[in-house]
Amino acid sequence: MPAFVDSKATTMSEQEQITTEEPLAVAEADPPKKQQAAASRKVSQYQKFLKVAEGKKRAAVFTHPGPDPDAIGSMMGVQWLLAKLGIECDSYFRGSVSHPQNKAVNNLLDPGMLPLSEYDGDKYDLRVLVDTVPANAGAPEGVSWDIVLDHHHETVNGNFKGLFTNLKAGSCAATIYHLMNEAGFQFED
């Protein structure tokens, strides 16, 4: 089991928090049974992600202004994951890819990020934000987020009605890898 078992996901439209830190009726002396009981009872983060993405045709993926390697990798991971579901994706960024390490990642991986000026909201039925929360998004005003994937301490607020997943991992890319792993996808696929 990954190191981020204390995961949280919030669907703000339902105003409820779903956490895997529920008390279990399994004896403390047998931790493997405790973990098995928790795993069989919880809805996976991927299942929640899939429920929101189901039936969508085209996604726009955003991150914070001036994307860094974690943001770029997270955008690429979400694109890959959504492509497995038959959803076309475009990734957008605001600002510039400026620091040497960010430029290196962008040049080596060629993630196909588009400048925000090319975004046309009418082309998309799914909007995903990675590596930040809506308040810090490098996106046009008024974007209605369907999915927010992050690893920072901030939480979503305001009128957010989508799926918020923060697994408290060391990076957003690790959170997305966790989704891929739960889905059972292999990189050779």
Side-chain angles (χ1 to χ4, degrees), residues 39-55:
S40 67
R41 198 177 62 246
K42 75 175 186 172
V43 174
S44 80
Q45 298 300 322
Y46 175 72
Q47 289 168 327
K48 295 172 193 174
F49 180 89
L50 181 61
K51 185 177 178 182
V52 175
E54 216 168 34

Side-chain angles (χ1 to χ4, degrees), residues 16 69 79 139 144 150 167:
E16 65 181 32
Q79 283 184 313
S144 180
D150 195 17
L167 300 181

Side-chain angles (χ1 to χ4, degrees), residues 6 40-42 63 68 75 110 113 121 131 146 152 163:
D6 61 335
S40 67
R41 198 177 62 246
K42 75 175 186 172
T63 190
D68 56 25
M75 292 171 84
D110 189 22
M113 296 185 306
D131 199 30
D146 299 297
H152 297 98
L163 174 70

